[in-house]
Amino acid sequence: MKDTINIRQTRDMFLFVAHKIVDSEQLLTEIDSKLGDGDHGFGMALGFKAVEKALGEREFSTVEDVFQEVGMTLLDTMGGASGVLFGTMFISGVAGKESHERADLALLAGIFRQALEALKKRGRARVGDKTMVDAFEPAVAGLEEGAAKAVSLEEGLALCAAGAKKGMEYTRECVARFGRAKSYGTRAIGLQDAGATSVWIIFQAMSDWASEHR
Ligand code: ADP
Ligand code: MG
C-alpha cells in the first residue's frame, strides 16, 4: 500500500471531521429549517460531540475499529432516522471486512462504497431524490477514480470532496422524495438538502485534514 494513513491518523482524521460538524451546527440548522424540521444541526452536533469524546478516550487496533466506533456512537446518540443513516455511513462499510493497520485510497473507496450501497438499500433513496445519497454517491466515485488513477491520498480525497460538493449543490435542483421535505413538492426547488450538506462537510474535512494536518 502506497500513500497510507495508520490507525492513529485515521482516528485524528475523524476527530477533525467531528470538530467540523460540531462547528457547522448553526449552518445545518438553517438549511434544515428551510426544508425540514430544523433538527438536523442539533442531531449532527450531538452525535459528533459524542464521537469527539469516544475517539479521544480509547486506543484502536485496526482502521476498521475506528469506523465502527464512529458509526456506533452516532447510532447510539443521534437517535431517529438520521442516526441510523449516518451510523450506516460508517458501520456498514466495515461489516464483514478484514482488518487493516493502514488505509489507502482503495481501502477507503471500498469501505465507503459498501456503506453507500447499504444506505441506499436501507433508505431506498437514489441519486436525484434530494437526500444525503446525492452527495455520498459522487464522493465515493471520486475516491474510486483516485484509487484507479493511483493519485496521492490528498488528491484522491480532494476528488472525493469535490464530488460531494457538486452532489450537495445538485440537491437544489431536485424535488424531495423522502423525509419531511417531500411535502414541499416543487417549492423545494432552489433549496439545499441538509443531509447532503453534512456529507459534504464530512468529506471536505477529510480532504482538508489530509492536505493540511497530516
Ligand atoms: P429527520 O428527517 O428525522 O428530521 P434529520 O433532519 O437529522 O432527520 O435528517 C434529514 C436528512 O436525512 C435529509 O436531509 C436527507 O438527506 C436524509 N434522509 C432522509 N430520508 C432519507 C432516506 N430515505 N435515504 C437517505 N437519506 C435520507
Ligand atoms: Mg430534520
Side-chain angles (χ1 to χ4, degrees), residues 121-146:
K121 214 167 162 190
R122 174 160 264 159
R124 291 164 197 249
R126 290 175 304 180
V127 166
D129 289 344
K130 205 178 185 91
T131 72
M132 62 189 285
V133 170
D134 292 357
F136 200 176
E137 179 91 56
V140 173
L143 286 173
E144 290 169 343
E145 186 192 335

Short mmCIF file of all heavy atoms in Angstrom, two decimals, residues 121-146:
data_model
loop_
_atom_site.label_atom_id
_atom_site.label_comp_id
_atom_site.label_asym_id
_atom_site.label_seq_id
_atom_site.Cartn_x
_atom_site.Cartn_y
_atom_site.Cartn_z
N LYS A 121 -29.90 0.81 0.18
CA LYS A 121 -30.80 -0.32 0.40
C LYS A 121 -31.73 -0.03 1.59
O LYS A 121 -32.94 -0.24 1.52
CB LYS A 121 -29.96 -1.56 0.71
CG LYS A 121 -30.56 -2.82 0.18
CD LYS A 121 -29.55 -3.95 0.22
CE LYS A 121 -30.29 -5.27 0.11
NZ LYS A 121 -29.42 -6.40 0.39
N ARG A 122 -31.14 0.52 2.65
CA ARG A 122 -31.90 0.78 3.87
C ARG A 122 -32.90 1.92 3.68
O ARG A 122 -34.06 1.81 4.04
CB ARG A 122 -30.91 1.11 4.99
CG ARG A 122 -31.56 1.55 6.25
CD ARG A 122 -30.60 1.37 7.42
NE ARG A 122 -30.85 0.12 8.09
CZ ARG A 122 -29.98 -0.52 8.86
NH1 ARG A 122 -28.78 -0.06 9.02
NH2 ARG A 122 -30.30 -1.62 9.45
N GLY A 123 -32.44 3.03 3.08
CA GLY A 123 -33.30 4.21 2.96
C GLY A 123 -34.09 4.28 1.66
O GLY A 123 -34.98 5.09 1.52
N ARG A 124 -33.73 3.43 0.71
CA ARG A 124 -34.38 3.36 -0.60
C ARG A 124 -34.23 4.61 -1.46
O ARG A 124 -34.91 4.74 -2.49
CB ARG A 124 -35.86 3.03 -0.46
CG ARG A 124 -36.06 1.63 0.03
CD ARG A 124 -37.44 1.43 0.55
NE ARG A 124 -37.46 0.22 1.37
CZ ARG A 124 -38.07 -0.89 1.03
NH1 ARG A 124 -38.71 -0.97 -0.07
NH2 ARG A 124 -38.04 -1.94 1.83
N ALA A 125 -33.40 5.55 -1.05
CA ALA A 125 -33.21 6.75 -1.86
C ALA A 125 -32.15 6.50 -2.92
O ALA A 125 -31.18 5.77 -2.69
CB ALA A 125 -32.79 7.91 -0.97
N ARG A 126 -32.37 7.12 -4.09
CA ARG A 126 -31.38 7.07 -5.16
C ARG A 126 -30.93 8.48 -5.48
O ARG A 126 -31.55 9.45 -5.01
CB ARG A 126 -31.99 6.44 -6.42
CG ARG A 126 -32.25 4.95 -6.27
CD ARG A 126 -32.95 4.41 -7.49
NE ARG A 126 -34.18 5.14 -7.76
CZ ARG A 126 -34.99 4.88 -8.77
NH1 ARG A 126 -34.71 3.93 -9.62
NH2 ARG A 126 -36.10 5.58 -8.94
N VAL A 127 -29.89 8.60 -6.30
CA VAL A 127 -29.43 9.93 -6.70
C VAL A 127 -30.60 10.67 -7.36
O VAL A 127 -31.32 10.10 -8.17
CB VAL A 127 -28.24 9.82 -7.68
CG1 VAL A 127 -27.98 11.14 -8.38
CG2 VAL A 127 -26.99 9.38 -6.93
N GLY A 128 -30.80 11.92 -6.96
CA GLY A 128 -31.89 12.73 -7.52
C GLY A 128 -33.10 12.82 -6.60
O GLY A 128 -34.03 13.57 -6.88
N ASP A 129 -33.07 12.07 -5.50
CA ASP A 129 -34.20 12.11 -4.55
C ASP A 129 -34.04 13.20 -3.49
O ASP A 129 -34.83 13.30 -2.57
CB ASP A 129 -34.36 10.74 -3.87
CG ASP A 129 -34.90 9.68 -4.82
OD1 ASP A 129 -35.42 10.05 -5.88
OD2 ASP A 129 -34.78 8.47 -4.49
N LYS A 130 -32.98 14.01 -3.62
CA LYS A 130 -32.72 15.13 -2.70
C LYS A 130 -32.45 14.63 -1.28
O LYS A 130 -33.09 15.06 -0.31
CB LYS A 130 -33.91 16.11 -2.69
CG LYS A 130 -33.55 17.55 -2.29
CD LYS A 130 -34.79 18.43 -2.36
CE LYS A 130 -34.49 19.88 -2.09
NZ LYS A 130 -34.17 20.64 -3.31
N THR A 131 -31.48 13.72 -1.17
CA THR A 131 -31.05 13.24 0.15
C THR A 131 -29.53 13.24 0.21
O THR A 131 -28.85 13.58 -0.76
CB THR A 131 -31.52 11.79 0.45
OG1 THR A 131 -30.75 10.90 -0.37
CG2 THR A 131 -33.00 11.61 0.20
N MET A 132 -29.01 12.76 1.34
CA MET A 132 -27.56 12.61 1.53
C MET A 132 -26.92 11.73 0.46
O MET A 132 -25.73 11.86 0.19
CB MET A 132 -27.27 12.07 2.93
CG MET A 132 -27.84 10.69 3.20
SD MET A 132 -27.69 10.20 4.94
CE MET A 132 -25.96 9.80 5.08
N VAL A 133 -27.71 10.84 -0.15
CA VAL A 133 -27.18 9.97 -1.21
C VAL A 133 -26.63 10.79 -2.38
O VAL A 133 -25.64 10.42 -3.00
CB VAL A 133 -28.28 8.98 -1.69
CG1 VAL A 133 -27.85 8.23 -2.94
CG2 VAL A 133 -28.65 8.01 -0.59
N ASP A 134 -27.26 11.93 -2.65
CA ASP A 134 -26.82 12.78 -3.78
C ASP A 134 -25.38 13.27 -3.61
O ASP A 134 -24.68 13.49 -4.60
CB ASP A 134 -27.75 14.00 -3.92
CG ASP A 134 -29.15 13.59 -4.39
OD1 ASP A 134 -29.36 12.40 -4.64
OD2 ASP A 134 -30.00 14.48 -4.50
N ALA A 135 -24.96 13.46 -2.37
CA ALA A 135 -23.57 13.88 -2.12
C ALA A 135 -22.65 12.67 -1.93
O ALA A 135 -21.48 12.69 -2.33
CB ALA A 135 -23.51 14.78 -0.88
N PHE A 136 -23.20 11.63 -1.32
CA PHE A 136 -22.41 10.44 -0.98
C PHE A 136 -21.96 9.70 -2.25
O PHE A 136 -20.79 9.30 -2.36
CB PHE A 136 -23.27 9.53 -0.07
CG PHE A 136 -22.52 8.53 0.75
CD1 PHE A 136 -23.20 7.74 1.67
CD2 PHE A 136 -21.14 8.35 0.65
CE1 PHE A 136 -22.54 6.80 2.44
CE2 PHE A 136 -20.47 7.41 1.42
CZ PHE A 136 -21.18 6.62 2.31
N GLU A 137 -22.87 9.53 -3.20
CA GLU A 137 -22.55 8.76 -4.42
C GLU A 137 -21.38 9.37 -5.20
O GLU A 137 -20.40 8.67 -5.50
CB GLU A 137 -23.82 8.63 -5.28
CG GLU A 137 -23.63 7.88 -6.58
CD GLU A 137 -23.90 6.37 -6.46
OE1 GLU A 137 -25.00 5.99 -6.03
OE2 GLU A 137 -23.00 5.60 -6.80
N PRO A 138 -21.40 10.66 -5.54
CA PRO A 138 -20.25 11.22 -6.27
C PRO A 138 -18.98 11.32 -5.42
O PRO A 138 -17.88 11.34 -5.97
CB PRO A 138 -20.73 12.62 -6.70
CG PRO A 138 -21.87 12.94 -5.83
CD PRO A 138 -22.50 11.64 -5.42
N ALA A 139 -19.14 11.36 -4.10
CA ALA A 139 -17.95 11.35 -3.23
C ALA A 139 -17.24 10.01 -3.36
O ALA A 139 -16.01 9.94 -3.51
CB ALA A 139 -18.36 11.60 -1.78
N VAL A 140 -18.01 8.93 -3.32
CA VAL A 140 -17.43 7.59 -3.46
C VAL A 140 -16.83 7.43 -4.85
O VAL A 140 -15.73 6.88 -5.00
CB VAL A 140 -18.50 6.49 -3.18
CG1 VAL A 140 -17.95 5.11 -3.50
CG2 VAL A 140 -18.97 6.55 -1.73
N ALA A 141 -17.51 7.96 -5.85
CA ALA A 141 -16.97 7.90 -7.22
C ALA A 141 -15.62 8.61 -7.30
O ALA A 141 -14.71 8.15 -7.98
CB ALA A 141 -17.97 8.51 -8.21
N GLY A 142 -15.48 9.71 -6.56
CA GLY A 142 -14.21 10.44 -6.53
C GLY A 142 -13.10 9.61 -5.90
O GLY A 142 -11.97 9.58 -6.40
N LEU A 143 -13.43 8.91 -4.82
CA LEU A 143 -12.45 8.03 -4.17
C LEU A 143 -12.03 6.91 -5.13
O LEU A 143 -10.85 6.57 -5.24
CB LEU A 143 -13.04 7.40 -2.91
CG LEU A 143 -13.20 8.28 -1.68
CD1 LEU A 143 -13.95 7.53 -0.58
CD2 LEU A 143 -11.84 8.74 -1.15
N GLU A 144 -13.03 6.35 -5.82
CA GLU A 144 -12.74 5.25 -6.75
C GLU A 144 -11.89 5.72 -7.93
O GLU A 144 -10.97 5.02 -8.36
CB GLU A 144 -14.06 4.64 -7.25
CG GLU A 144 -14.76 3.87 -6.13
CD GLU A 144 -16.20 3.45 -6.46
OE1 GLU A 144 -16.79 4.01 -7.40
OE2 GLU A 144 -16.73 2.59 -5.75
N GLU A 145 -12.19 6.92 -8.41
CA GLU A 145 -11.40 7.48 -9.52
C GLU A 145 -9.95 7.69 -9.06
O GLU A 145 -9.01 7.33 -9.77
CB GLU A 145 -12.01 8.81 -9.97
CG GLU A 145 -11.35 9.38 -11.20
CD GLU A 145 -11.75 10.84 -11.47
OE1 GLU A 145 -12.83 11.26 -11.03
OE2 GLU A 145 -10.94 11.54 -12.10
N GLY A 146 -9.81 8.24 -7.87
CA GLY A 146 -8.47 8.47 -7.32
C GLY A 146 -7.70 7.17 -7.16
O GLY A 146 -6.51 7.09 -7.49
#
